[in-house]
Amino acid sequence: MRILIIGAGATGGAFGTRLIEAGRDVTFLVRPGRAEALARDGLTLQAPDGRRTHRVRALTEIEPGSRYDLVIVAVKAPALAGVLATAEPAIGPETVIVPFLNGMDHLDALERAYPGRVLGGLVKIVATVDESGAVVQMTPLSTMTIGPLHGTPVPDAVREALDVPGVRLDVDESVETRLWEKWAFIASAGVITCLFRGTIGDILAAGGEGHILRAIAETEDVARAAGHPVGKRSHGQSVAMLTEPRSSFTSSLYRDLQHGDPAEAEHIIGGMAARARALGVATPLLDAALLQLRTHRQAMTRG
């Protein structure tokens, strides 16, 4: 399959590297600055199984008529509208689109634009891009889950293309529930660490366990009201991770907040809050965190 990965950051770069190493035909669609860096330095992945650098194909625009069989969307939510406009020439009538974004609103947008061609997708990986532009995978965790939306089956060719060494691939018929479970977790983690401005260990040491459990309950209440209740296993994992004493864990939203701009705040926290209101679910901690993030954004915009 001809595979186009939109974005070569932590997610796109890490999984793209694994696909390239398995002999897949991979092209990246990136911004001009990233394209220049990749042309100059290649794509480097520093992972627990070693460091490697590959020369890669990186484009900033798609030539008309240049279709791809599989388009993987691996950018943050605020960039989605722009990159989809750029990628439009790559998407033909048979193209399969697999987005790896947090939340759910992006699926609605993609389904409106490309009905019947979108699969649900989520990844779990602890990775970042360092100052040199290298992708750094910090733990061995590297999983990818895909599945049908609205009954659209996962084509065998897509399954085979994504089943590569270094990535545990799962095809899940209930992928929409898995997406809600992940969203509930990252939203509650964002609420806790952004609202109280610290690591889980410090929040617990300050007496915040009750607030942590309430934040988890709020987001899981929204998922339940939406028809996708969080399973016992996922709930247990969320509680264990977010109540671990002396844990240095912080959410990606909090790390973005520390660096200046919580780019996905509206998509993750705002989207959850909007669904809560539509479903009549009370979410006071979620609402407080959203107000704090929006206040920060106002200050950044004014500055």
Side-chain angles (χ1 to χ4, degrees):
M1 302 188 80
R2 296 188 72 215
I3 301 172
L4 180 69
I5 300 180
I6 303 177
T11 298
F15 287 99
T17 295
R18 300 297 185 179
L19 291 169
I20 290 167
E21 291 177 342
R24 305 300 189 256
D25 181 352
V26 174
T27 300
F28 292 94
L29 180 64
V30 295
R31 292 175 176 172
R34 185 60 166 159
E36 182 180 341
L38 291 172
R40 182 184 65 243
D41 304 324
L43 176 60
T44 296
L45 172 64
Q46 173 69 52
D49 62 345
R51 183 181 181 90
R52 71 276 270 160
T53 300
H54 296 285
R55 311 308 300 184
V56 299
R57 289 192 301 273
L59 307 175
T60 58
E61 59 183 20
I62 303 295
E63 294 183 4
S66 181
R67 306 293 197 191
Y68 288 79
D69 303 302
L70 173 62
V71 172
I72 294 173
V73 185
V75 296
K76 289 192 174 182
L80 181 63
V83 297
L84 284 181
T86 304
E88 185 177 1
I91 301 173
E94 303 300 323
T95 302
V96 176
I97 304 168
V98 183
F100 293 133
L101 282 75
N102 295 319
M104 298 292 292
D105 291 348
H106 64 281
L107 290 175
D108 296 337
L110 287 168
E111 274 288 323
R112 286 193 297 270
Y114 303 103
R117 282 177 279 170
V118 183
L119 297 177
L122 64 95
V123 294
K124 294 182 181 179
I125 188 169
V126 183
T128 189
V129 177
D130 69 15
E131 293 181 356
S132 73
V135 177
V136 181
Q137 180 183 334
M138 291 171 277
T139 73
L141 176 68
S142 178
T143 71
M144 180 185 297
T145 302
I146 60 174
L149 298 173
H150 316 303
T152 303
V154 176
D156 290 341
V158 171
R159 185 196 306 253
E160 292 168 6
L162 297 178
D163 190 5
V164 298
V167 179
R168 194 192 78 197
L169 176 69
D170 294 318
V171 177
D172 193 326
E173 298 296 318
S174 302
V175 70
E176 197 167 356
T177 295
R178 303 290 86 77
L179 285 164
W180 268 100
E181 288 177 340
K182 183 179 180 182
W183 191 13
F185 168 73
I186 61 176
S188 59
V191 166
I192 295 157
T193 56
C194 291
L195 197 55
F196 301 117
R197 298 291 186 101
T199 67
I200 289 299
D202 287 343
I203 294 166
L204 287 168
E209 182 173 349
H211 289 82
I212 291 173
L213 295 176
R214 281 194 290 276
I216 294 171
E218 285 184 10
T219 60
E220 292 187 358
D221 284 346
V222 180
R224 185 180 304 107
H228 296 280
V230 172
K232 290 183 179 180
R233 179 181 177 185
S234 184
H235 170 76
Q237 289 173 339
S238 295
V239 171
M241 183 170 289
L242 298 179
T243 59
E244 181 182 350
R246 297 177 296 280
S247 170
S248 61
F249 175 84
T250 61
S251 69
S252 61
L253 273 180
Y254 178 61
R255 294 193 294 273
D256 288 344
L257 185 67
Q258 287 180 303
H259 294 147
D261 186 12
E264 290 195 297
E266 287 298 332
H267 192 67
I268 295 174
I269 304 296
M272 182 70 76
R275 300 213 181 206
R277 288 192 297 272
L279 295 166
V281 179
T283 53
L285 285 175
L286 181 74
D287 296 341
L290 180 60
L291 177 59
Q292 194 252 48
L293 288 162
R294 286 177 173 171
T295 301
H296 173 83
R297 187 65 180 268
Q298 287 292 328
M300 292 295 295
T301 301
R302 187 180 67 255

